[in-house]
Amino acid sequence: MLLASLCAFVVLCAVQHAPMADALVYRAEGAAVLNGTDLYGFTVTEWRLPATYPPFAALLFVPTSWLPLSALKAAFVLGNTALLALLVHLSARLTGTHRLPTPTLLTATALALWLEPVFQTVLFGQINLALACLVLWDLTRPPGAPGKGIALGIAMGVKLTPAVFIAYLLLTRRVREGMTALAAFSTTITLGALALPSASIDFWTRRLYETGRVGKPWIVDNQSLQGLVARALGDPSPGLAWSVPAAGTALLGLCLARRSGEDRWGIPLTALTALLVCPISWSHHWVWCVPLLAVLWAGGHRRTAALAAVVFTARTLWLVPHEGTRDLQLPWWQQLLASPYALLALALFAMVTVSCYTPTSVRCPRPSRTAAPPSTE
């Protein structure tokens, strides 16, 4: 089934002439490192995409510049498919299922390939699955495992958004793991500065704060809270109308993650928090839908899991008018279609809040800090 699903995906990409634009950006970053050119001064593809990640990421992208374009695209498709299978396995481990039967793993991977965030990640040649696997592998290792936190720090060195998991570790009193992650992150900054001093100064003092460099925050591609508010108000720069709710959402999300009492709920809640409060969370950033669906299903919330699977598969955000600034002129009923992931995340926050804070028999589960049984890793 996985082979058939992958073949169908490849055929669809060929028919649509998928450019795998993000893979081309990574390739250009690797070439910039090798050639000593300005890492943040170029744009590639018809969309004029620039480099937006820290210099450490560009060092990791150097091998992409060695491959012919066709080989690079094939490597990204096959590599992301393998990473998706790993993410499914890690999601099962998060729920307490130590090992999925191979047929179940392959079937789940074949189905997950068609979730919109996963599909877009593979289509664009993105690295979201790699980062999610790094974080989830690290956080689902047994307590006290050697070097636990290093993989999280490396993920932060490639892209800054996983930093929210350090807050989660500190809130759940895993200070050693949080400090290890911070040390690993600091090491990535140092390596980037030693190899690319000019680019490092440019990124950390200037490019990091150019949020418009990443893209327009109001377009439907952006499924963060800022995107939702901008489209709802018809305002391309919602300012306090976004930042104040974002601060409240960050506080609520991390409180819910801490109060949940176990990683199988805390980790997805932290990931949703990051996706909501980040100024821009493109739809393909939401590959955390895979562990979210696994946790909902394994936790007995079958209807909610089914509804979430429909939301992440339906692709309603691409059904509304979104050429030019039409994203800012949507009627109220199209707002629901334009912001499905942010609205779903907020609804889940409301569901968990009711479960955690109402004085009824329904409570947040609190059996243990890690859902997975100890392993030999």
Side-chain angles (χ1 to χ4, degrees):
M1 183 175 180
L2 177 58
L3 181 60
S5 183
L6 185 58
C7 288
F9 176 87
V10 171
V11 170
L12 183 60
C13 290
V15 170
Q16 293 185 339
H17 303 288
M20 299 190 76
D22 289 309
L24 299 182
V25 176
Y26 304 149
R27 189 173 190 239
E29 290 186 48
V33 172
L34 289 178
N35 299 329
T37 55
D38 185 1
L39 180 59
Y40 300 106
F42 68 80
T43 59
V44 294
T45 78
E46 62 186 278
W47 300 280
R48 301 183 62 81
L49 300 176
T52 58
Y53 295 167
F56 175 73
L59 298 177
L60 301 182
F61 294 148
V62 167
T64 64
S65 65
W66 301 338
L67 297 175
L69 188 55
S70 57
L72 178 66
K73 291 183 176 181
F76 265 93
V77 170
L78 295 176
N80 269 323
T81 302
L83 287 168
L84 176 58
L86 176 59
L87 184 60
V88 170
H89 164 72
L90 293 172
S91 300
R93 187 164 83 172
L94 179 65
T95 68
T97 304
H98 187 57
R99 187 175 298 276
L100 284 177
T102 300
T104 303
L105 175 64
L106 295 178
T107 300
T109 303
L111 295 174
L113 182 63
W114 297 93
L115 296 167
E116 193 270 349
V118 175
F119 183 91
Q120 295 288 82
T121 288
V122 183
L123 185 68
F124 292 151
Q126 255 285 346
I127 58 171
N128 304 305
L129 289 167
L131 296 179
C133 285
L134 270 177
V135 173
L136 196 53
W137 172 80
D138 204 359
L139 295 182
T140 55
R141 298 172 69 202
K148 187 171 183 181
I150 291 178
L152 171 57
I154 292 173
M156 290 169 53
V158 176
K159 192 172 183 178
L160 299 179
T161 48
V164 71
F165 286 99
I166 289 186
Y168 172 67
L169 289 175
L170 297 179
L171 286 172
T172 52
R173 299 180 181 178
R174 286 174 277 187
V175 177
R176 180 178 178 180
E177 296 170 10
M179 292 299 102
T180 300
L182 277 175
F185 174 54
S186 299
T187 301
T188 67
I189 296 176
T190 302
L191 291 174
L194 291 174
L196 302 167
S198 297
S200 294
I201 294 173
D202 190 17
F203 179 81
W204 295 108
T205 63
R206 178 185 172 195
R207 304 298 184 177
L208 176 61
Y209 311 101
E210 295 177 347
T211 54
R213 180 181 178 84
V214 180
K216 299 179 179 66
W218 71 83
I219 60 178
V220 294
D221 311 52
N222 183 19
Q223 290 294 300
S224 73
L225 191 61
Q226 180 176 217
L228 185 156
V229 172
R231 289 187 292 272
L233 298 180
D235 184 352
S237 301
L240 290 177
W242 159 69
S243 59
V244 173
T249 300
L251 180 62
L252 174 62
L254 288 173
C255 285
L256 292 176
R258 177 182 179 276
R259 189 174 174 85
S260 68
E262 56 178 346
D263 280 347
R264 67 169 177 167
W265 295 106
I267 290 174
L269 287 170
T270 302
L272 292 181
T273 301
L275 291 165
L276 281 172
V277 304
C278 185
I280 292 182
S281 293
W282 302 132
S283 69
H284 54 76
H285 292 166
W286 289 73
V287 293
W288 283 95
C289 64
V290 175
L292 173 65
L293 293 173
V295 167
L296 288 172
W297 186 266
H301 303 280
R302 302 293 173 87
R303 292 182 180 178
T304 305
L307 175 61
V310 170
V311 170
F312 284 115
T313 307
R315 294 160 168 77
T316 60
L317 66 159
W318 303 118
L319 300 179
V320 301
H322 55 273
E323 296 81 11
T325 59
R326 297 182 70 186
D327 316 61
L328 295 172
Q329 304 164 17
L330 301 175
W332 69 266
W333 62 273
Q334 288 185 346
Q335 300 289 342
L336 302 176
L337 302 178
S339 304
Y341 304 162
L343 291 172
L344 175 65
L346 292 173
L348 289 172
F349 277 15
M351 182 186 77
V352 177
T353 300
V354 170
S355 177
C356 286
Y357 290 99
T358 53
T360 67
S361 58
V362 180
R363 290 285 186 180
C364 287
R366 290 176 172 271
S368 64
R369 184 166 287 168
T370 55
S375 71
T376 57
E377 287 190 75

